[in-house]
Amino acid sequence: MDDIAILGVGMHPWGKWGRNFTEYGVKAARDALADAEVGWEEIQFVSGANSVRCGYPGYVSASTFANALGFTGCQLASSYAACASGATALSIARAQIFSGVCDVALVVGAESTPKGFFAPNAGERHEDPDWLRFHLVGATNPTYFALYARRRMELYGDTSEDFAAVKVKNSRHGVFNSNARYTKEYDADDIANSPMVADPLRLLEICATSDGGAALVVSSLEWAASRGIDNPVRVSGISTVRPTYPNSVIELPYLASDSWSAVGDETMTFKDNIAGRAYEEASVSPEDLDFAEVYDLSSAYELDWYEHIGLCERGDAAKLLRAGDTALGGRIPVNPSGGLGAFGEAVPAQAIAQVCEMAWQLRGEAGDRQVEGARVGLSINHGMFGHGSSVICTR
Amino acid sequence: MPPAEQTPYGFGMSMRTAVAAVEGLFTLDADEPRLIGGRARSRGSYFFPKSLAGSDPACLGDEIDEVLLSRTGKLWSFTTGEYAPPAPYVIPGDEFEPYVIAAVELAEESLVVLGQVVAGISVDELSVGIEMELVIDVLYSDDEHDYLVWKWAPAEMNENGEG
C-alpha cells in the first residue's frame, strides 16, 4: 500500500468547555492548515468525523466545518463509526487521494459532550441494543471496561495496583501535554482514594467524557514534494476492520457475545485483528514500533491493547508495565500523549488526536514527552457496534 | 399503552400486574425462566437476542429458529454499578441502590449473556467460573405493573430457595 503525507496537525485542547463543537473543529482545522502552510482555499476535500451528540450539524460534520471556514466549493464526506470515526474519516481522505479525486484534504473531528455517562438515543427503543443494555441491565460503558478488567485479574493475576499504575504512568505523560484535559500527576493513593464506579475500576481509572477537536491536513506524496516537503510524516497503514464471526468477547453495546458453539473458540476477539491489517499495509511488525497510542478507555483496558497489538503474549501485559517498558524512557512507550486517561474522550476527535500525537512524535516536536528517535508509531482504537481502527505512521 | 401480554406473577403482596419489561426476550415461567434466543437451523449457531445479535456469515439465508437457551452457565466476569445510569435505566424504588452485573457463559450455547445479579449478593461472594442460574425478578414497578427482567443468581443460592 502506498503512503500519504501528513502536512499539518492541529488540536483544540480537551476539556469541559461547554461551547459549540464547531468552534473546536475550526480551531483545530486552522491550526492544522497553519502547521501545513496550506491555505483553506487550497483544500480540495474535507472529511468530517461526525458527532451524534451535537444535533444535525454533528451528522453533517464536514459541511458544518466547511461552512464555518467558508464554503469554497470543495468536496465533502461526513462519516460515523463511533470512537473509530476519526480513522474512518482519514481512510476516506486517503481513498480520495489514491483515486486521484483530490491531492490535498482536511480531516476534522470535534465534539461537545454532556457530563456523566454516555446515554443512548431517546425514546422506547426495544430493537436497539444500546437502549436495551441501559434499560434492562443498567450496563453503562464502564460496566464493559470493568468486566474486561475483572477477567484480567481472574485469568492473569493482574491486580488493582497494576491498573492504577497505568493511570499513574499516563498522568506523568499528560503533564507534558498542553492539549490534555488533566495535566496533574496522580499517584497510587489518589487512585485508591477515588470512588469505585464499576468494581474493580475507580473514578480516576475511567476516561471522562470531554470536549475537544483535532484535525489533519493530508496529501499525496507528490503534492507534498511539489511544496518542497520531501520527508513528511507518512500514513503507512490504516485499519478499519469489523469483527470476524464469532466475536467471543462481549462488546459494547450488546447484551451477549457471539456464540462459538458452531465455529471458533472462546479466545476469539476481533481486537486481536485490528492492528493486523495496519501492520500488513505498512509492512511493519510489532518489533518495529517505537511507541503506541492506544485507547485506554480504562486503565486496565490499556493492558488488553498491549496484547492485541502484539507487544507481548496474552496475559503478559502487566509484566511490561511493571518493568517500566511502556513508560516514557522505556523500551516501547505507550500513550506518550497521556492517552485518554489525560484527555478524556471526545469521540469523533479521538482517533484523529492519536494521529496528531504520532505526527509530533515522528517530527521530534513532542517536547518533554518526546520518544527519542521515534520513526514508527501505531495508534489503535475501538468504537462500539464493532468498529476497529488502527493507524501506522512512519518517517 | 397497555402491555400486550399480562401474566400474573407473585411478588409479595403486590396487587400489580407482572409484565416483561421488554417482550420477547425471555419467558415468564416462575420456576424455570428461559432466555429466548435464535439458532441457525443448519449451522447450529446461537444468538441472543434472536434478531439483535452478531451474525454468522455462514448463516446467510439459513432459517433462524426461536429457541429457549440454557438456564445455567459459568460466571465469565462481573462488576458493579455504583452510580445511577442515565435513562432509559429506571431507578427501582425511591433511591438508587448500587447493583452487581454478571456476564455468564451459557452451558450449551457457548455464548456470554449480561444480566444484573439478584439483590443481596456482593462481588465478594462471586468468582469467575462459579455456576450461575437464570431467575426472573422485578426490574422496577409503577402503580399498576411490576416490570420483570431476567437476572443471574449463584446456582447454590437458588437451590437453597433463597433470593
Side-chain angles (χ1 to χ4, degrees), chain A residues 117-121 123-124 126-140 142-144 146-151 154-155 195-201 245 248-250 254-263 266, chain B residues 21-23 25 43-49 52-57 75-90 99 101-103 105 108-116 123 126-128 139-140 149-150:
Chain A
F117 292 119
F118 282 145
N121 289 356
E124 288 267 326
H126 291 191
E127 307 219 318
D128 176 352
D130 197 33
W131 189 93
L132 289 172
R133 57 134 171 168
F134 277 96
H135 187 66
L136 295 179
V137 183
T140 61
T143 297
Y144 294 78
L147 291 172
Y148 306 149
R150 171 64 61 183
R151 191 114 176 115
E154 299 270 345
L155 259 56
M196 191 71 86
V197 172
D199 190 289
L201 298 174
Y245 188 89
S248 305
V249 175
I250 191 163
Y254 299 106
L255 291 172
S257 70
D258 290 343
S259 159
W260 59 92
S261 63
V263 60
E266 75 279 5
Chain B
V22 171
E23 304 261 340
L25 299 181
R43 174 84 154 175
S45 314
Y46 290 93
F47 307 97
F48 178 76
L52 299 176
S55 287
D56 181 348
L75 187 57
W76 186 85
S77 192
F78 55 94
T79 182
T80 55
E82 305 281 350
Y83 290 87
Y89 178 80
V90 179
Y99 50 88
I101 290 176
E105 182 182 329
E108 293 297 319
E109 295 82 1
S110 299
L111 180 73
V112 175
V113 181
L114 286 184
Q116 282 193 12
V123 289
L126 300 175
S127 59
V128 166
L139 182 62
Y140 60 95
V149 73
W150 78 88

Side-chain angles (χ1 to χ4, degrees), chain A residues 38-238:
Chain A
V38 168
W40 162 237
E41 68 288 350
E42 293 182 276
I43 295 293
Q44 299 158 355
F45 179 77
V46 176
S47 192
N50 289 350
S51 166
V52 295
R53 293 183 185 81
C54 300
Y56 212 119
Y59 302 142
V60 290
S61 60
S63 181
T64 299
F65 298 132
N67 191 8
L69 289 159
F71 276 141
T72 58
C74 72
Q75 302 201 73
L76 307 173
S78 304
S79 55
Y80 192 67
C83 299
S85 299
T88 298
L90 176 60
S91 76
I92 293 168
R94 184 179 70 161
Q96 296 290 70
I97 291 167
F98 283 168
S99 69
V101 166
C102 72
D103 301 306
V104 58
L106 176 69
V107 182
V108 194
E111 182 154 271
S112 191
T113 55
K115 193 175 188 299
F117 292 119
F118 282 145
N121 289 356
E124 288 267 326
R125 307 171 59 80
H126 291 191
E127 307 219 318
D128 176 352
D130 197 33
W131 189 93
L132 289 172
R133 57 134 171 168
F134 277 96
H135 187 66
L136 295 179
V137 183
T140 61
N141 291 13
T143 297
Y144 294 78
F145 312 153
L147 291 172
Y148 306 149
R150 171 64 61 183
R151 191 114 176 115
R152 290 199 68 84
M153 296 170 88
E154 299 270 345
L155 259 56
Y156 310 138
D158 290 9
T159 64
S160 291
E161 289 73 26
D162 291 326
F163 302 154
V166 172
K167 172 68 178 188
V168 169
K169 170 184 76 72
N170 288 345
S171 79
R172 281 182 188 149
H173 297 172
V175 165
F176 304 118
N177 196 335
S178 59
N179 284 311
R181 176 175 174 186
Y182 304 102
T183 52
K184 174 183 182 321
E185 182 175 335
Y186 291 98
D187 64 25
D189 284 343
D190 294 328
I191 293 151
N193 291 329
S194 70
M196 191 71 86
V197 172
D199 190 289
L201 298 174
R202 294 179 179 277
L203 185 64
L204 286 176
E205 299 181 277
I206 294 167
C207 91
T209 58
S210 292
D211 297 1
L216 311 168
V217 174
V218 293
S219 78
S220 66
L221 296 179
E222 294 73 24
W223 199 86
S226 76
R227 304 292 287 238
I229 303 165
D230 295 320
N231 185 27
V233 172
R234 295 156 179 251
V235 175
S236 300
I238 305 176

